Amino acid sequence: MRPIHVIGGGLAGSEAAWQIARAGVPAVLHEMRPQRATEAHRTARLAELVCSNSFRSDDAEANAVGVIHREMRVLGSLIMRSADAHQVPAGGALAVDRDGFSAAVEAAIADEPLIAVERGEVAGLPPNDWDSVIVATGPLTSPALAEAIQALTGEESLAFFDAIAPIVHRDSIDMEIAWPQSRYDKAGPGGSGADYLNCPLSRDQYNDFVDALLAADKTEFREFEGTPYFDGCLPIEVMAVRGRETLRHGPMKPFGLTNAHQPKIKPYAVVQLRQDNALGTLFNMVGFQTKLKYAEQTRIFRLIPGLQGAEFARLGGLHRNTFLNSPQLLDPQLRLKAAPRLRFAGQITGCEGYVESAAVGLIAGRFAAAERLGGRLEAPPATTAIGALINHITGGHIEAIDAGPRSFQPMNVNFGLFPPIVEPRLDADGRRLRGPERGVARKRALSTRAAADLSAWMQAGG
């Protein structure tokens, strides 16, 4: 049987190759590292995490990310299996030891006899005799391949900047100022409810910090001048420009936290740090993606109480991301309309986030395997988390009809992508739901429907 070629050994590509092999079809996984490096990767490992180590909420009852976690586990996801095996405490989130996680993915791929890993760049379009290809090159697609795709489609590849948060050595954090606590004391997988380290700022300290951000030296854009950001991963200094209170209502929000050292004094703002490795020796600054120059990062972040003596294992950075105008270019099977032998998966399709990228890789792999075996697999229904994401990517998004800003942008999975549901009005005891209770009940209803509909899809041959 002819193999299916998967280009890109990140989360989406690794998951796609795994699903193809699970279906009994051979796959060749192409990864250009270490022969060609990227601006963000540090190793040549498959499924290396280049930004946060968090897979975000694992709450499958009331969070769309938790729902997609659940669906991927049910569908035999290698990425979720490896994440679960290498989780570290992170409150209500599923966070992983990044090195253990990528090593587990790579070991599983290496041990699978139906997957061959080939190292080296696929420069330009794949050879014509590759009749089934999944392009899962992510936001760091090599220029030669990106230019070839652009020439083939006639569309401009949309691009945005994505910034990486710094990582701090745990023993350099002043625990007489910082304290351990998860927001609202919420415990998640492997967590205790006190999984983040919190650094409090008074009003004056917060304003001084914002002033320093506004005045700091930043990385120049140069040839990427004018490339827009993705709103879900804005650098902190860009948020500061948008308004003095923006950070305080974003990554520095103080809500749900009580200073253990001064419980009667409410912090005006809080910086949270999340465990980044299994040993608990490294913590990343949550939401602190940045394009500040290195010297400025060290100086300004040490203005934060508790981090005045911080030692950094890694400072923040900046890289350029590219993605397709997928609703125009891809069909419901994730195939390029201009060249159906090419499928796309992961962040290059315009999804955002580790699990979203892997989920699209999972479905792309299953699509390709079914096609190779002479059949056709329909996507899960749009009432499921995976189905809602695929639907958004391949046609659920409504294009702007005027000359305003670009319309299709990277999207995390969220309940706003799910078809509407009749909102519950009463709880199990017949009591009328009010205010926030109704919102929680709606999310739980969406989650319950998603579970039932995924089960029905699987029973029907999905």
Side-chain angles (χ1 to χ4, degrees):
M1 186 183 300
R2 292 171 64 84
I4 296 169
H5 293 264
V6 181
I7 305 175
L11 275 70
S14 296
E15 186 68 68
W18 181 257
Q19 295 296 324
I20 292 166
R22 294 295 90 190
V25 176
V28 180
L29 181 58
H30 302 266
E31 170 53 52
M32 68 181 184
R33 294 174 292 126
Q35 278 79 4
R36 183 183 176 95
T38 75
E39 297 91 338
H41 289 90
R42 295 184 301 153
T43 76
R45 274 185 177 158
L46 302 177
E48 178 185 344
L49 304 181
V50 299
C51 190
S52 168
N53 70 322
S54 175
F55 282 37
R56 311 194 326 277
S57 175
D58 204 46
D59 179 3
E61 287 192 1
N63 190 293
V65 178
V67 174
I68 209 168
H69 285 181
R70 181 181 67 198
E71 293 177 0
M72 293 173 69
R73 289 180 177 119
V74 170
L75 293 172
S77 164
L78 172 62
I79 294 302
M80 288 305 300
R81 188 185 83 180
S82 303
D84 288 335
H86 293 277
Q87 64 181 0
V88 297
L94 172 62
V96 304
D97 179 303
R98 65 179 70 235
D99 292 331
F101 165 78
S102 61
V105 173
E106 184 158 292
I109 295 290
D111 289 342
E112 172 50 63
L114 284 175
I115 302 176
V117 178
E118 293 190 2
R119 299 283 180 167
E121 180 182 2
V122 178
L125 292 178
N128 289 329
D129 60 347
W130 294 8
D131 63 337
S132 181
V133 181
I134 296 175
V135 180
T137 47
L140 302 174
T141 300
S142 69
L145 181 55
E147 289 169 8
I149 293 168
Q150 180 179 337
L152 180 64
T153 62
E155 292 268 344
E156 289 292 328
S157 290
L158 302 179
F160 61 96
F161 280 107
D162 197 7
I164 301 172
I167 294 177
V168 180
H169 288 281
R170 168 65 173 77
D171 59 10
S172 71
I173 301 170
D174 187 346
M175 294 305 297
E176 293 187 2
I177 296 175
W179 77 95
Q181 184 188 9
S182 300
R183 199 176 302 280
Y184 300 108
D185 301 308
K186 186 173 183 179
S192 65
D195 304 319
Y196 292 76
L197 300 183
N198 302 278
C199 299
L201 291 87
S202 66
R203 181 190 294 266
D204 288 344
Q205 289 168 332
Y206 174 79
N207 284 323
D208 289 345
F209 179 77
V210 171
D211 288 340
L213 284 180
L214 294 173
D217 286 337
K218 289 115 180 147
T219 302
E220 296 295 332
F221 288 177
R222 296 188 177 91
E223 68 268 29
F224 303 141
E225 188 71 45
T227 303
Y229 292 104
F230 168 47
D231 283 344
C233 199
L234 286 175
I236 56 169
E237 58 276 7
V238 173
M239 285 189 270
V241 170
R242 294 188 173 187
R244 183 162 288 272
E245 292 292 291
T246 300
L247 284 168
R248 189 172 164 268
H249 291 276
M252 297 178 70
K253 58 181 178 286
F255 314 115
L257 299 166
T258 300
N259 188 339
H261 303 297
Q262 295 179 305
K264 295 183 179 180
I265 300 177
K266 184 69 176 177
Y268 190 73
V270 172
V271 173
Q272 287 198 302
L273 296 98
R274 178 179 55 232
Q275 186 174 331
D276 201 77
N277 65 341
L279 294 176
T281 56
L282 299 175
F283 277 69
N284 64 64
M285 300 176 68
V286 178
F288 264 56
Q289 301 86 2
T290 182
K291 62 185 181 69
L292 294 175
K293 292 186 175 180
Y294 284 172
E296 292 286 71
Q297 289 184 47
T298 302
R299 177 180 67 84
I300 293 172
F301 294 153
R302 285 177 179 166
L303 296 176
I304 298 168
L307 299 184
Q308 63 272 15
E311 296 296 332
F312 297 91
R314 184 188 71 189
L315 289 166
L318 182 72
H319 55 270
R320 181 179 185 261
N321 287 355
T322 57
F323 63 100
L324 297 172
N325 186 4
S326 294
Q328 295 294 320
L329 301 179
L330 302 184
D331 72 10
Q333 290 276 305
L334 296 170
R335 294 176 300 201
L336 193 66
K337 295 175 184 177
R341 73 186 178 100
L342 303 180
R343 273 188 173 83
F344 286 80
Q347 280 188 264
I348 196 170
T349 66
C351 66
E352 176 65 20
Y354 292 145
V355 292
E356 290 89 338
S357 297
V360 177
L362 184 154
I363 292 299
R366 289 185 168 219
F367 283 161
E371 187 176 78
R372 175 64 88 218
L373 294 170
R376 177 184 170 92
L377 176 68
E378 299 297 334
T383 50
T384 66
I386 295 176
L389 188 63
I390 298 297
N391 181 61
H392 173 76
I393 290 169
T394 62
H397 175 79
I398 300 174
E399 289 290 330
I401 59 174
D402 57 20
R406 64 192 176 94
S407 183
F408 182 67
Q409 295 190 41
M411 177 66 71
N412 294 116
V413 68
N414 62 84
F415 281 128
L417 299 181
F418 288 52
I421 195 170
V422 176
E423 188 171 297
R425 300 288 181 176
L426 304 175
D427 66 12
D429 298 323
R431 184 176 60 87
R432 179 174 292 277
L433 297 170
R434 300 184 183 278
E437 292 180 332
R438 291 176 59 183
V440 172
R442 173 181 167 274
K443 292 174 181 177
R444 287 177 174 166
L446 289 168
S447 172
T448 299
R449 182 182 69 179
D453 289 357
L454 184 73
S455 178
W457 175 78
M458 293 175 67
Q459 290 175 9

